[in-house]
Structure formats: structure tokens, C-alpha cells
Amino acid sequence: MEVTHDMSDQELKALLIDKYTDLQRIKRANGDTVNEELDYQIKVATAKLSSFGVNVEDLTL
């Protein structure tokens, strides 16, 4: 994900939401397979979205 200095907060939020939902779909597709890196990426995306006031509970599969 490339972020430029010209990106607005709304555009950044939209990109982060897209990334978070992509990660959620991958996690669901993995089923019961443990993937620590995927879990960490979801945790980081959650923290970033929370800093923008986005409630990820509504986005979680």
C-alpha cells in the first residue's frame, strides 16, 4: 500500500478498511490453519483503524 502526502484521512481510512477486510477474507479462507504473521497483520490494521475511530467489529467476518 503506497501512501502519499497528498492522501486525505478519508482516503487513508478507506485503504486501511480495504486492507483489513482483505486480511479477514484470507483468515477465513485459511480455516483452522494457524498463521501468526496474518494474525499480527490483522492486529496492526485493527490498531491503525482504531486510531481513526473506526470500529472493526462491524468489519470482522
Side-chain angles (χ1 to χ4, degrees), residues 43-58:
K43 191 178 290 191
V44 169
T46 300
K48 288 179 180 181
L49 286 167
S50 293
S51 74
F52 279 105
V54 176
N55 183 356
V56 297
E57 289 180 17
D58 296 335

Side-chain angles (χ1 to χ4, degrees), residues 11-60:
E11 291 169 318
L12 184 53
K13 277 192 238 182
L15 281 175
L16 287 169
I17 288 169
D18 289 345
K19 179 176 182 174
Y20 181 82
T21 55
D22 289 345
L23 292 168
Q24 286 292 313
R25 285 196 305 274
I26 293 166
K27 184 167 180 72
R28 178 179 261 185
N30 280 345
D32 293 333
T33 303
V34 175
N35 185 328
E36 291 179 14
E37 178 61 22
L38 177 60
D39 291 340
Y40 179 74
Q41 290 296 322
I42 290 171
K43 191 178 290 191
V44 169
T46 300
K48 288 179 180 181
L49 286 167
S50 293
S51 74
F52 279 105
V54 176
N55 183 356
V56 297
E57 289 180 17
D58 296 335
L59 305 173
T60 304

